[in-house]
Amino acid sequence: MPLEVLEEAASELTGWHGKGISVLEMSHRSADFQKIYEECTALLRELYAIPHTHEVMFLQGGGHLQFAMVPLNLAQSGIGNYAVNGVWSRKAFKEAEKISSAAECACAEFRAPAQRDIRLSENASYLYYCSNETVNGIQYPYIPEATVPLVADISSDFLSKPLPIERFGLLFAGAQKNFGPAGLTVAIARKDLLGHEAPRTPTMLSYETYAKSDSMYNTPPTFAIYLSLLVARWIKKEGGVSEMQRRSELKSSLLYDVIDASGGFYTNKVEKSSRSKMNVVFNLTDAALEPLMIEEAKKEDIVSIKGHRILGGMRASLYNAVSIEDAQALSDFMKEFARTHG
Ligand code: PMP
């Protein structure tokens, strides 16, 4: 989270806008909270230029619940088609297999599948992909074309670059990387795709429930929505999603340049065109040095560079709140570590 957002939230934690009530205490149906909710959705619409053909919904349950809601809501007419190229798209595919018919329509390792590799089943109901594989450090450099609705898990590159929302049937993201704290999930769906969920779908698992109630069928995560509003304002003030894109390209290249110039001290297996601008994954050829690197980084206040427990290795996440200076500090540290231990 951007520091100034945390400071602003702290300054009004006990009294919102000088009133004697905290956002933590407000009823979600109060006029004050309605203002917060409305500004948050309006800003999200503005930042992404979301057309009126699409609904913006606030949910809970994170990306994992979306892995179930997507097939429950969209697979009625056929087979959910999944492009699988990392931990999260595989997990979504496995979940869909439990719920409805699902097929793996493309498979790739260390890269995004190319458009020509994606072969839809004859009666595909949607094409699902994960735009940024957070654990594997793989990001699609393009948006797939499909004759069926396109569904994307954009959890880890949400609000990090402009997106042509009109090309998507459904997009979803957990807020906790680039938007707000954990506990809020955003879904953006084409309105005509709603209301076709499987029979006996629980009310809370139908997108239509959220669309019809302004995401207030039950109590939404009010404080998470408020914090996300502050982040959305911050993104707008900083120059919007195209500025976030410029920064993430710069930040990630600071790290990839060190990896590529390290003479094999650092390695990254991802095909260059699919390298993630959000999560820079790398290994040390001498893996025994990795714990030492983590320890030495800590002394420089550089934390969370240990890779995901599934893959090991190292990973630097460059979400929007990470500044160019932060990325520069890590880049300098990596250079120095390679010089002294190489
Ligand atoms: N999709 C992606 C791309 C993710 O990075 C994550 C979590 N890091 C998830 C889904 C799962 O999200 P959650 O923990 O919110 O269920």
Side-chain angles (χ1 to χ4, degrees), residues 45-63:
R45 283 194 170 277
E46 183 184 335
L47 288 169
Y48 262 149
I50 299 174
H52 287 289
T53 44
H54 285 64
E55 200 73 58
V56 174
M57 294 165 275
F58 292 151
L59 306 94
Q60 299 181 60

Side-chain angles (χ1 to χ4, degrees), residues 61-65 67 88 130 132-135 153-156 172 174 176-177 185 319:
H64 280 89
L65 192 61
F67 297 166
W88 295 114
C130 175
N132 184 64
E133 282 285 1
T134 325
V135 174
D153 172 0
I154 55 167
S155 292
S156 54
F172 69 83
Q176 66 266 29
K177 278 133 172 107
T185 312
Y319 298 124

Side-chain angles (χ1 to χ4, degrees), residues 110-224:
F110 304 119
R111 65 182 173 88
Q115 179 74 53
R116 64 177 177 282
D117 299 335
I118 301 174
R119 290 171 201 276
L120 293 182
S121 342
E122 222 163 74
N123 51 345
S125 47
Y126 57 83
L127 167 60
Y128 179 107
Y129 76 108
C130 175
S131 59
N132 184 64
E133 282 285 1
T134 325
V135 174
N136 310 77
I138 305 168
Q139 191 171 27
Y140 273 69
Y142 73 104
I143 295 168
E145 297 276 352
T147 48
V148 291
L150 187 59
V151 176
D153 172 0
I154 55 167
S155 292
S156 54
D157 58 1
F158 190 44
L159 294 170
S160 71
K161 58 180 179 179
L163 276 181
I165 303 292
E166 65 284 356
R167 285 184 53 192
F168 292 87
L170 182 110
L171 298 136
F172 69 83
Q176 66 266 29
K177 278 133 172 107
N178 276 332
F179 194 33
L184 171 67
T185 312
V186 177
I188 304 167
R190 225 172 68 200
K191 289 177 183 166
D192 64 294
L193 296 176
L194 306 179
H196 306 292
E197 65 275 8
R200 306 170 73 92
T201 296
T203 310
M204 287 298 289
L205 299 186
S206 159
Y207 289 116
E208 208 181 27
T209 302
Y210 298 82
K212 278 191 169 161
S213 63
D214 275 342
S215 303
M216 301 252 181
Y217 182 77
N218 77 327
T219 313
T222 48
F223 199 68

Side-chain angles (χ1 to χ4, degrees), residues 44-341:
L44 202 50
R45 283 194 170 277
E46 183 184 335
L47 288 169
Y48 262 149
I50 299 174
H52 287 289
T53 44
H54 285 64
E55 200 73 58
V56 174
M57 294 165 275
F58 292 151
L59 306 94
Q60 299 181 60
H64 280 89
L65 192 61
Q66 294 308 298
F67 297 166
M69 281 182 72
V70 167
L72 268 172
N73 284 266
L74 302 181
Q76 279 310 287
S77 59
I79 302 176
N81 274 231
Y82 285 74
V84 176
N85 72 325
V87 167
W88 295 114
S89 48
R90 176 154 310 280
K91 218 168 176 191
F93 171 55
K94 291 285 164 211
E95 188 72 2
E97 276 186 313
K98 284 195 200 167
I99 290 165
S100 58
S101 5
E104 198 171 313
C105 63
C107 181
E109 228 189 326
F110 304 119
R111 65 182 173 88
Q115 179 74 53
R116 64 177 177 282
D117 299 335
I118 301 174
R119 290 171 201 276
L120 293 182
S121 342
E122 222 163 74
N123 51 345
S125 47
Y126 57 83
L127 167 60
Y128 179 107
Y129 76 108
C130 175
S131 59
N132 184 64
E133 282 285 1
T134 325
V135 174
N136 310 77
I138 305 168
Q139 191 171 27
Y140 273 69
Y142 73 104
I143 295 168
E145 297 276 352
T147 48
V148 291
L150 187 59
V151 176
D153 172 0
I154 55 167
S155 292
S156 54
D157 58 1
F158 190 44
L159 294 170
S160 71
K161 58 180 179 179
L163 276 181
I165 303 292
E166 65 284 356
R167 285 184 53 192
F168 292 87
L170 182 110
L171 298 136
F172 69 83
Q176 66 266 29
K177 278 133 172 107
N178 276 332
F179 194 33
L184 171 67
T185 312
V186 177
I188 304 167
R190 225 172 68 200
K191 289 177 183 166
D192 64 294
L193 296 176
L194 306 179
H196 306 292
E197 65 275 8
R200 306 170 73 92
T201 296
T203 310
M204 287 298 289
L205 299 186
S206 159
Y207 289 116
E208 208 181 27
T209 302
Y210 298 82
K212 278 191 169 161
S213 63
D214 275 342
S215 303
M216 301 252 181
Y217 182 77
N218 77 327
T219 313
T222 48
F223 199 68
I225 292 172
Y226 158 74
L227 285 175
S228 301
L229 162 62
L230 300 188
V231 174
R233 283 189 193 149
W234 176 84
I235 294 175
K236 183 175 173 183
K237 176 177 75 79
E238 294 292 308
V241 286
S242 44
E243 173 61 13
M244 297 300 121
Q245 179 177 35
R246 186 191 72 80
R247 292 182 191 178
S248 56
E249 278 169 8
L250 184 58
K251 288 183 288 182
S252 57
S253 66
L254 284 169
L255 304 190
Y256 287 124
D257 286 351
V258 174
I259 294 167
D260 292 341
S262 70
F265 184 82
Y266 300 114
T267 57
N268 170 292
K269 287 192 206 157
V270 179
E271 210 173 87
K272 279 198 177 165
S273 62
S274 300
R275 281 174 164 181
S276 171
K277 297 179 173 59
M278 289 278 112
N279 311 95
V280 176
V281 168
F282 59 97
N283 286 85
L284 272 69
T285 301
D286 181 358
L289 284 174
E290 287 174 1
L292 179 67
M293 183 172 187
I294 292 164
E295 269 316 298
E296 290 199 3
K298 243 187 229 161
K299 292 182 200 150
E300 308 278 329
D301 282 339
I302 297 169
V303 295
S304 295
I305 56 166
K306 193 172 193 291
H308 192 276
R309 64 195 148 75
I310 300 174
L311 278 199
M314 312 291 283
R315 177 175 57 159
S317 290
L318 304 171
Y319 298 124
N320 287 345
V322 173
S323 67
I324 293 166
E325 293 72 33
D326 294 336
Q328 184 66 59
L330 175 56
S331 162
D332 292 344
F333 169 76
M334 285 170 69
K335 256 188 248 166
E336 184 58 15
F337 189 83
R339 194 184 64 77
T340 48
H341 299 277

Side-chain angles (χ1 to χ4, degrees), residues 6-26 223 226:
L6 294 177
E7 286 171 349
E8 186 180 353
S11 77
E12 53 184 23
L13 184 69
T14 54
W16 180 76
H17 286 194
K19 299 187 184 188
I21 185 165
S22 165
V23 178
L24 287 164
E25 300 165 315
M26 281 177 192
F223 199 68
Y226 158 74

